Amino acid sequence: MALIYYLTQIQFEYGAVRLLEQECQRVGISRPLVVTDAGVRAAGVLQKALDALGGLPCAVFDQTPSNPTEAAVRAASELYKARGCDGLVAVGGGSAIDCAKGVAIAATHDGPLTRYATIEGGSPRITDKVAPLIAVPTTSGTGSEVARGAIIIVDDHRKLGFHSWNLLPRAAICDPELTLGLPPRLTAATGMDAIAHCMETFMASAFNPPADGIALDGLERGWSHIERATRDGGDREARLNLMSASMQGAMAFQKGLGCVHSLSHSLGGVDPRLHHGTLNAMFLPAVVRFNSEAPSVRQEHRLDRMARAMGLRSGADIPEAIRDMNSRLGLPSGLAAMGVQRESFDRVVQGALADHCHKTNPREASREDYLQMLETSL
């Protein structure tokens, strides 16, 4: 049975951050904990959100790491309780939003965070008691502002997914102005994350035609604007379209993702210094080639349909086009350039096989298949 579910209220326009106090009042948040990171604060973006909260009293947690951890969730949860907060406002990229989702669970549910992880059977344990959340993205990548999941590195160093419709933000405030001037490398890496979401969910075999349409349109917007946004941080049209691609990728990936994310989640747990979006960009060519043999992908001409959205002649051109794009964006040439070594491959494969995205790839990957993808991406 196909489940097609779209519920988040989205405010999308330049200057939309001004609506933050209004949205807090709408969802019943009167004393928010603002979850962000030091970079967002230093860039002055946090202050824009705080100004938009008007007279609402709030607390701020600005120690979200680049890959959110269970330790950060604990620290933020303690602040949430100590300050008597009744809701969350996440201001930042996917890390801040996912950290806030972890807090939404930990501050309102008993037991260790791992109890609620998807692969631990924890999704049904995440109840409607979760703290309400409003998400204000400051990058165009994960789309976590419209997604039901969060990715968090837990205390035993696994990078796990937490999924529940109760985690869906009550509101998403998508203001492209907050991404103006984002550094080129971060623009490229987060933009390729959004493109990976659109591509990988479109290849997933679940029946969800609305998600397929959203993913293809998001892919076209992301692919045609990522270079402009990377080259000129002030290009308003490019920033708007890249933010839309990010949002659309996450709206669509309720279908599921696949081997790109299985590998990225696992490798990101092995080495948390590695950027998730950059890893996705490295793995995409090998996974697209692997998925080209999946019966559902072949029968429904999914690679050719993606190629048309990307302005390419055929689906066979996609892997090389992604490599060329990575090069033009100034991203690494492969995993080796990111410091990844073959010695880590066994641990990465073990994690990929256990990851929640492994099961929704359109073609089942074996241990040997994953090793080959890693080798090809090196």
Side-chain angles (χ1 to χ4, degrees):
M1 180 182 72
L3 178 63
I4 301 171
Y5 201 64
Y6 292 102
L7 285 179
T8 303
Q9 177 162 309
I10 304 166
Q11 301 281 3
F12 195 118
E13 65 174 330
Y14 272 94
V17 71
R18 72 183 185 277
L19 302 173
L20 186 52
E21 182 180 15
Q22 167 191 309
E23 289 300 293
C24 283
Q25 293 171 347
R26 182 181 65 82
V27 304
I29 298 175
S30 61
R31 188 180 294 272
L33 173 67
V34 179
V35 178
T36 187
D37 62 54
V40 172
R41 180 188 280 277
V45 176
L46 171 63
Q47 191 58 51
K48 293 181 180 180
L50 295 177
D51 291 344
L53 283 171
L56 289 181
C58 66
V60 175
F61 177 81
D62 64 359
Q63 297 302 306
T64 304
S66 57
N67 283 286
T69 62
E70 186 174 357
V73 168
R74 266 196 307 275
S77 298
E78 291 169 4
L79 180 59
Y80 181 96
K81 295 174 182 178
R83 297 291 293 273
C85 297
D86 60 2
L88 296 148
V89 173
V91 182
S95 296
I97 300 173
D98 282 7
C99 185
K101 289 179 180 179
V103 177
I105 300 170
T108 55
H109 291 65
D110 295 329
L113 194 61
T114 50
R115 185 169 185 266
Y116 304 95
T118 302
I119 65 170
E120 301 289 345
S123 292
R125 301 185 187 117
I126 302 173
T127 72
D128 59 5
K129 293 180 181 179
V130 297
L133 167 64
I134 294 174
V136 185
T138 61
T139 63
S140 299
T142 70
S144 190
E145 69 274 8
V146 295
R148 71 189 189 281
I151 305 296
I152 297 169
I153 299 176
V154 296
D155 289 341
D156 64 10
H157 307 297
R158 289 181 296 165
K159 194 171 189 177
L160 300 184
F162 297 78
H163 297 84
S164 169
W165 290 111
N166 291 315
L167 289 178
L168 197 69
R170 303 287 182 87
I173 297 179
C174 297
D175 184 346
E177 184 175 326
L178 302 182
T179 70
L180 293 176
L182 199 68
R185 185 68 171 264
L186 189 56
T187 299
T190 54
M192 286 303 297
D193 190 17
I195 287 169
H197 291 159
C198 292
M199 296 181 73
E200 193 163 34
T201 197
F202 184 73
M203 290 184 287
S205 55
F207 181 79
N208 192 327
D212 285 341
I214 291 168
L216 276 184
D217 184 80
L219 173 59
E220 183 174 4
R221 291 176 187 275
W223 189 260
S224 60
H225 289 91
I226 188 171
E227 284 188 88
R228 283 174 52 183
T230 300
R231 185 169 56 248
D232 178 3
D235 187 324
R236 293 173 66 87
E237 181 185 12
R239 289 292 181 182
L240 182 142
N241 279 279
L242 204 56
M243 178 165 272
S244 184
S246 174
M247 176 191 71
Q248 290 174 251
M251 291 176 71
F253 68 41
Q254 62 178 253
K255 278 184 66 182
L257 293 165
C259 292
V260 170
H261 281 75
S262 297
L263 288 164
S264 292
H265 291 158
S266 182
L267 182 51
V270 171
D271 187 349
R273 297 171 301 176
L274 300 175
H275 188 272
H276 175 71
T278 306
L279 288 175
N280 284 346
M282 300 300 101
F283 288 128
L284 258 177
V287 174
V288 168
R289 196 175 300 280
F290 176 75
N291 285 347
S292 67
E293 299 301 320
S296 63
V297 171
R298 292 170 64 91
Q299 292 164 10
E300 298 173 22
H301 308 288
R302 290 192 174 263
L303 294 195
D304 287 338
R305 292 162 71 186
M306 287 196 300
R308 286 195 292 273
M310 299 164 73
L312 304 175
R313 290 177 300 176
S314 75
D317 297 327
I318 292 176
E320 192 59 36
I322 295 170
R323 292 191 186 92
D324 288 345
M325 177 66 81
N326 289 340
S327 177
R328 294 199 300 274
L329 294 174
L331 293 175
S333 57
L335 297 176
M338 299 175 69
V340 178
Q341 299 181 351
R342 289 184 177 88
E343 287 75 12
S344 66
F345 282 7
D346 284 340
R347 287 179 62 197
V348 175
V349 170
Q350 182 179 0
L353 288 166
D355 190 79
H356 62 276
C357 294
H358 168 71
K359 295 180 180 179
T360 52
N361 197 71
R363 179 184 175 193
E364 185 174 358
S366 66
R367 180 180 183 278
E368 290 70 27
D369 292 326
Y370 275 127
L371 285 171
Q372 183 58 53
M373 291 179 217
L374 284 162
E375 192 67 39
T376 301
S377 305
L378 194 61

